[in-house]
Amino acid sequence: MRDHGGNIDGAIARFGGKDWIDLSTGINRVAYPVPPLQPEDWTMLPTQTAKQALLDVAAKTYHCTAPMLAVAGAQAAIQMIPHLAKPGRARVLGPTYNEHAASLRAAGWKVEQVSQFGQLAGADLAIVVNPNNPDGRSYAPADLLALAGQVGRLVVDESFADAQPALSLAPQAGQPGLLILRSFGKFYGLAGVRLGFVIGCTEDIRALAEMSGPWPVNGAALRIGAVALADTAWAEATVRRLQTEAAELDAMAARLGWQLVGGCELFRSYETPDAESAQIRLAKQQIWSRIFPYSNRWLRLGLPGSPDEWARLGRAMEA
C-alpha cells in the first residue's frame, strides 16, 4: 500500500471537525502569492513559447545548462522513469518516500531498499532522495557523481533541496545515466499547481518528453511557475524564515522530550515514545501529522503557516 501524508480527508472522517491544520506533508504553508492569470492560460493549449519561458527561468534558478523537462509534479517523472529501460535490479536508499519503489515495482523492476549509501553500487537503477524524506539525510554532489559511475542509472530526487542549493547536482547534470528531479509545489507552497522538473541527458529527456505527451503542464502552471521561480527575493526570505521556524519547532518538540531524527527546512521528524498516540493527541486538536508504517516512534511535522497556527500547535502539543 502506498502510504502518504496529505490524507486530510481521512483524518476528518476519523476525528471529525473542519478547521484542520495539515502538517502531515512537507509543503510550505506560506505559499507564493499566485500572480494574475490571463484568459488564454485557461482557454488555449499551452504554447511552446510559454513552456520555453518556464524552462529558461528554471534553468537559471537551478543553475543548470542540461536538458530539462517540465512535468505535472515530480510524481509524473517518478512514474515515467521506470520505463526508460528494461526492468532490472533497482535499489532505493531508505527509508524514504515510497512512490519510487512502488512505481518501479509496478513497472516490473526488482526493488531492494538499502539503508547505506554504499549499498547502492552495482544496481541497474539507484534512487537517492537528497535531502531525504523523512530523516533529512543528505549527500554531497561529489559523492553522488561518484556513485553515478557505479550504477546503470542514478535518480537523485531533489524535491526538498530548494533551501539547500549547495546539495544540488543540477549544475553538473547532463551526463548519461543521471537524472535529477525537482519539485515546484513543495517549497513554493503550491502543490495543487502540479509542477515539477526532470533534468538529464538529451536522450533521456527526449524519451521522457515522448512519454509525457505534447502538453504535460497546463497553461496556468506555466505562468505561475515562471513568475515564482524568477522571484529570488521571495525565495531568499522564505529560506531565512523556514530556517528560523524549523529551529523553533525543534525547541517545542524538545520540551516534550521528543528527539530530533532529522529533517529539512520544510519538515521535521521526531522520535517519540509512541508516534500513534502523539498523532491522535494532535488530531483531537485538529492538527494532522505523519507517522510511518516502519516505525512506531517516528512522527513528522511540517511547519505551521501563521501565528495562529503556531499557537494552536503549541497548545495541542502541551495538551
Side-chain angles (χ1 to χ4, degrees):
M1 181 178 294
R2 303 192 185 191
D3 178 63
H4 297 286
N7 53 338
I8 191 68
D9 49 353
I12 293 171
R14 180 179 175 187
F15 295 98
K18 296 181 180 180
D19 187 21
W20 280 77
I21 302 173
D22 186 3
L23 303 184
S24 69
T25 75
I27 298 167
N28 182 2
R29 289 185 63 80
V30 184
Y32 187 83
V34 175
L37 299 176
Q38 301 301 315
E40 58 265 28
D41 296 331
W42 303 111
T43 60
M44 295 178 59
L45 290 170
T47 65
Q48 292 297 326
T49 299
K51 287 192 281 188
Q52 190 58 53
L54 172 63
L55 291 176
D56 289 345
V57 175
K60 185 175 181 180
T61 299
Y62 302 140
H63 306 285
C64 174
T65 58
M68 182 187 306
L69 176 68
V71 292
Q75 178 64 38
I78 290 170
Q79 293 181 215
M80 291 190 293
I81 286 171
H83 301 282
L84 283 173
K86 182 179 177 180
R89 297 169 303 146
R91 291 178 185 155
V92 179
L93 186 59
T96 194
Y97 177 61
N98 62 29
E99 279 298 323
H100 287 286
S103 295
L104 286 162
R105 289 191 180 101
W109 287 78
K110 182 179 179 181
V111 181
E112 176 187 5
Q113 179 174 291
V114 299
S115 60
Q116 300 299 320
F117 185 80
Q119 296 172 321
L120 294 167
D124 298 312
L125 190 153
I127 306 288
V128 178
V129 180
N130 193 41
N132 188 48
N133 172 14
D135 60 14
R137 285 185 296 173
S138 61
Y139 303 90
D143 294 333
L144 290 165
L145 285 174
L147 175 64
Q150 303 173 54
V151 299
R153 175 175 281 112
L154 174 63
V155 177
V156 182
D157 186 338
E158 297 183 352
S159 290
F160 295 99
D162 293 74
Q164 300 182 46
L167 290 180
S168 180
L169 263 182
Q172 287 83 42
Q175 69 184 63
L178 175 63
L179 287 170
I180 298 165
L181 308 185
R182 299 292 302 222
S183 169
F184 171 80
K186 294 179 178 65
F187 178 74
Y188 289 89
L190 297 172
V193 170
R194 305 310 305 138
L195 178 62
F197 302 91
V198 54
I199 307 166
C201 69
T202 299
E203 181 179 358
D204 283 350
I205 297 302
R206 184 181 294 121
L208 291 169
E210 285 293 321
M211 292 184 211
S212 66
W215 305 290
V217 177
N218 67 71
L222 294 174
R223 187 179 301 276
I224 293 168
V227 172
L229 287 170
D231 194 341
T232 57
W234 184 91
E236 290 168 359
T238 295
V239 170
R240 292 192 296 269
R241 175 183 61 79
L242 291 171
Q243 289 172 339
T244 299
E245 293 182 348
E248 174 60 25
L249 186 56
D250 289 348
M252 292 169 63
R255 289 194 286 272
L256 294 180
W258 296 359
Q259 300 297 314
L260 178 66
V261 173
C264 66
E265 289 77 4
L266 289 169
F267 62 82
R268 316 300 287 171
S269 294
Y270 304 104
E271 184 169 338
T272 72
D274 184 326
E276 185 176 8
S277 295
Q279 184 185 54
I280 291 172
R281 186 173 72 192
L282 294 174
K284 288 180 178 178
Q285 306 297 319
Q286 298 185 349
I287 295 174
W288 195 226
S289 57
R290 177 82 157 90
I291 59 176
F292 303 93
Y294 49 79
S295 173
N296 60 9
R297 301 186 62 163
W298 284 16
L299 179 139
R300 191 189 70 195
L301 288 171
L303 275 60
S306 68
D308 178 65
E309 290 189 358
W310 278 96
R312 281 184 56 186
L313 177 60
R315 291 193 297 268
M317 291 175 73
E318 295 170 1

